[in-house]
Amino acid sequence: HSDRKVEIHWPVPDGQYNASLTIAPEKSRMVTPLKAARLGLVAIFLLLFGGILVLQTVTKGHDRVLEFFSANGPPPLEPGSHHSARISMCENEVYTETKYAFVSMLSGNLRLYAISAAKLGASIRRWSPLDMVMMEIKERPLDAEVRSHLQSVGWKICLVPAIPNPPSPKSNPYLDALMYTKLSVWGLVEYDAVAAIDSDMLVVNDPAPLFAH
């Protein structure tokens, strides 16, 4: 850790150029265990505080969205739009009320998507009285509280068996959530047509024209 002297000798036409450079060692910047512990505690506090702020923001935003879209009820059904039949694909007892429907899916593995699904349902109801069918994977059940909340904004909960994922060398949250079960939407044969929508979408205008083509 002592000073080191470096000498440079470079030949030039008129002789030899000599230079020297002294390099002093950098002072040690070791972090003591006490300082490391303090930094760790500060980091944990910031993470917890930040998580609380994010959760509060999400909850407040969720409530405001539901309040906005629930301010006005959906328009009435047009004459001849009513249709009643048991949905054969659902393992629980679910009946259609309209000829067309919006459909989405939730897995118990991705519980946070339930907040988005509630917003989606409320935004659909702002514009349309058509059926809304939420497929719940039998092997990845939703919490009773989540299910009740979804039903309160108009979703019909349809219990469906999982469609297994194809073999994969690596696992990820979406494969674990059995996302291939979305293909069950083709089993909703009691409807004339359905529109499959991801649960993290938001409807900002009348979606009825989707069924006019």
Side-chain angles (χ1 to χ4, degrees), residues 4-211:
R4 290 183 295 171
K5 185 176 182 180
V6 178
E7 294 186 354
I8 301 174
H9 305 279
W10 189 263
V12 293
D14 297 334
Q16 181 169 284
Y17 174 77
N18 299 319
S20 63
L21 175 66
T22 301
I23 303 176
E26 186 178 359
K27 292 184 178 179
S28 174
R29 296 184 179 180
M30 291 182 61
V31 178
T32 63
L34 180 59
K35 188 174 182 180
R38 289 176 178 173
L39 291 174
L41 288 174
V42 171
I44 292 172
F45 172 78
L46 290 176
L47 285 173
L48 289 175
F49 184 71
I52 292 172
L53 287 180
V54 169
L55 183 60
Q56 288 179 342
T57 302
V58 170
T59 303
K60 288 180 180 178
H62 167 62
D63 293 341
R64 288 176 182 174
V65 169
L66 290 183
E67 181 181 353
F68 171 78
F69 285 112
S70 301
N72 299 308
L77 279 172
E78 296 180 2
S81 297
H82 290 278
H83 174 68
S84 181
R86 180 169 180 175
I87 303 177
S88 58
M89 181 188 74
C90 306
E91 295 196 1
N92 54 328
E93 195 168 329
V94 185
Y95 289 86
T96 67
E97 295 183 51
T98 59
K99 293 181 179 180
Y100 306 103
F102 301 97
V103 58
S104 190
M105 190 191 80
L106 273 180
S107 169
N109 288 48
L110 303 174
R111 190 179 186 278
L112 288 178
Y113 276 82
I115 298 177
S116 296
K119 293 178 185 178
L120 171 62
S123 67
I124 292 175
R125 272 291 168 265
R126 170 66 177 82
W127 303 100
S128 174
L130 297 178
D131 282 358
M132 302 188 307
V133 179
M134 178 63 68
M135 296 187 296
E136 176 186 354
I137 303 175
K138 182 180 178 181
E139 290 77 4
R140 298 288 190 274
L142 302 174
D143 296 343
E145 181 182 357
V146 170
R147 191 181 298 111
S148 176
H149 189 47
L150 293 174
Q151 290 173 325
S152 71
V153 297
W155 287 108
K156 296 176 180 289
I157 306 298
C158 173
L159 195 63
V160 297
I163 294 179
N165 301 319
S168 175
K170 293 184 179 180
S171 179
N172 64 63
Y174 299 100
L175 287 179
D176 293 341
L178 300 171
M179 287 291 104
Y180 277 82
T181 309
K182 285 184 177 182
L183 296 174
S184 298
V185 69
W186 294 102
L188 293 169
V189 296
E190 287 75 20
Y191 291 104
D192 288 357
V194 298
I197 308 177
D198 282 345
S199 59
D200 55 357
M201 302 289 286
L202 193 69
V203 176
V204 297
N205 211 329
D206 184 7
L210 289 172
F211 300 106

